Amino acid sequence: MRSPSRALAGALLVTGLFAPSMARAQGGTRAIEGRVVRPTATATLPVAGTTVVLHRVAPERAGPLDSMVTRRDGGYRFSYATTGDSAALYFVSTSRGGVAYFTTPTREGTPSGDSAELVVFDTTSRPIRITPMARHLIVTAPDTGQVRTIIEVYEISNDTTLTRVANGPEGFTFDAPLPSGISSVTAGEGDVSPDAVRVRNGRVQVTAPLSPGVKRVSFFYDVPLGDGTIEVLVESPLPVLEVLVEDPRGDATGAGLTAVDPVSVEGRPFRRFLAQDVAGAQTFTVTTPGKGVTSRLRLMLVVTAVGAAMLLGLGAAFLRGGPAAFASRRTVDPEALALEIAALDTRFESIAAPSEEQRAEHYLERAHLKGRLSDALAKRDGLA
């Protein structure tokens, strides 16, 4: 078995952030100075007396460096020596109500102000409203002669100033209906841990905390081919509904769905259907007459984030990887996730004049990684 430091070094090299040529000794003193604040309905309040932790992540070792409690104004200031590898990253974390929060990982300079601010929220297990803002349904070609995979992606919004947490082991923070006969799902890449997605009584349930803002929940399941007809329930109103069907003869009808320009990925056609302002308590039907077989491992899925364009004022984003890869991209190590975020930022900063689509892709992927890091920190520290 590899030691944790060796495993971490491997993760760093995989991200492309810590190349061997970058490893060089450093010295000197730096500081991270910021505040912990809590928004309410009428004001943003300082959080005094809460513990904040300074973390260091580098190829040779990773872990917490220091901790302190915040001042009356919610402020904190860490001074630290920059010995060891110059590629080391530093960030600050805190928790409130069992939910972890953290600053952007940094390698250089002296972060302060907004970049070092930690915004935390009170929690509640009361049923506050979690609103579906968009739903994407991707129906793939069969991977065998017996079943096809359906991927669902929900964009959900918590518009309050409270983090919703599950009420006990049987509780959940968000749920959605599944097609008849589906008894198991596999969680995909998104803003919640795969361990926080389960099926109960024909519904997929999320048990992870949902902080204010927009989150993405994704999962997939197999359905038998049958006669090529799939009926899907729209339970609650939806601003945006999107259906992608990997079949040139596929169709989606009902719920106001209209065919728009198809997309083609690696020569495989996806018909695309959109609807806006969809009323709840209705169904739509997807027909897939094709019997062709596609590779489960190399399938590339395109999810055009119409909901993201509406909610964030950004362009389209892409979610890549077939169902197998879709399930496997689940880094749960907090240090590795922090490095993924830093590597993502490094790649984006290398683009001289990013397009709106590139900005959208970076923004959304960064938000998803931050959500996963928050959950991973909470699990590691015994808070979730």
Side-chain angles (χ1 to χ4, degrees), residues 256-290:
L257 286 164
T258 302
V260 296
D261 290 342
V263 294
S264 180
V265 180
E266 293 187 340
R268 292 191 293 272
F270 284 84
R271 292 202 70 196
R272 183 172 176 239
F273 305 85
L274 286 177
Q276 296 185 2
D277 299 323
V278 181
Q282 62 176 313
T283 61
F284 64 90
T285 301
V286 179
T287 54
T288 54

Side-chain angles (χ1 to χ4, degrees), residues 67-318:
S67 66
M68 67 177 63
V69 295
T70 53
R71 303 186 300 263
R72 290 184 61 185
D73 64 352
Y76 67 87
R77 188 179 192 277
F78 287 106
S79 294
Y80 58 94
T82 57
T83 57
D85 199 319
S86 63
L89 293 168
Y90 302 86
F91 63 95
V92 176
S93 72
T94 190
S95 65
R96 188 175 181 87
V99 179
Y101 304 87
F102 57 94
T103 63
T104 301
T106 183
R107 182 189 297 131
E108 300 176 349
T110 302
S112 61
D114 290 346
S115 64
E117 187 172 76
L118 287 158
V119 182
V120 302
F121 302 93
D122 286 336
T123 61
T124 182
S125 59
R126 293 185 293 105
I128 60 175
R129 183 169 176 77
I130 304 295
T131 307
M133 302 304 294
R135 181 183 182 186
H136 311 275
L137 191 85
I138 304 96
V139 181
T140 73
D143 69 320
T144 70
Q146 304 299 321
V147 299
R148 71 173 74 243
T149 298
I150 294 181
I151 296 174
E152 296 210 41
V153 183
Y154 279 86
E155 293 170 56
I156 57 178
S157 179
N158 177 353
D159 296 324
T160 74
T161 58
L162 298 171
T163 292
R164 172 77 185 273
V165 296
N167 185 11
E170 298 301 314
F172 53 87
T173 53
F174 173 76
D175 73 333
L178 290 167
S180 177
I182 301 301
S183 59
S184 65
V185 302
T186 301
E189 184 181 2
D191 294 327
V192 302
S193 166
D195 295 336
V197 178
R198 69 189 183 198
V199 173
R200 295 280 177 87
N201 302 319
R203 303 179 69 84
V204 62
Q205 296 179 344
V206 174
T207 60
L210 296 178
S211 58
V214 178
K215 301 289 185 295
R216 186 174 70 178
V217 176
S218 58
F219 53 90
F220 65 90
Y221 47 86
D222 289 336
V223 297
L225 293 184
D227 61 2
T229 300
I230 304 165
E231 190 170 89
V232 182
L233 171 66
V234 179
E235 187 174 62
S236 305
L238 280 171
V240 174
L241 172 64
E242 177 183 45
V243 179
L244 296 175
V245 184
E246 190 189 13
D247 191 317
R249 295 171 295 166
D251 200 7
T253 57
L257 286 164
T258 302
V260 296
D261 290 342
V263 294
S264 180
V265 180
E266 293 187 340
R268 292 191 293 272
F270 284 84
R271 292 202 70 196
R272 183 172 176 239
F273 305 85
L274 286 177
Q276 296 185 2
D277 299 323
V278 181
Q282 62 176 313
T283 61
F284 64 90
T285 301
V286 179
T287 54
T288 54
K291 295 290 185 180
V293 176
T294 190
S295 168
R296 188 178 181 92
L297 293 175
R298 295 185 59 83
L299 176 66
M300 180 174 285
L301 300 170
V302 178
V303 178
T304 304
V306 178
M310 295 179 63
L311 298 172
L312 304 174
L314 301 171
F318 299 95

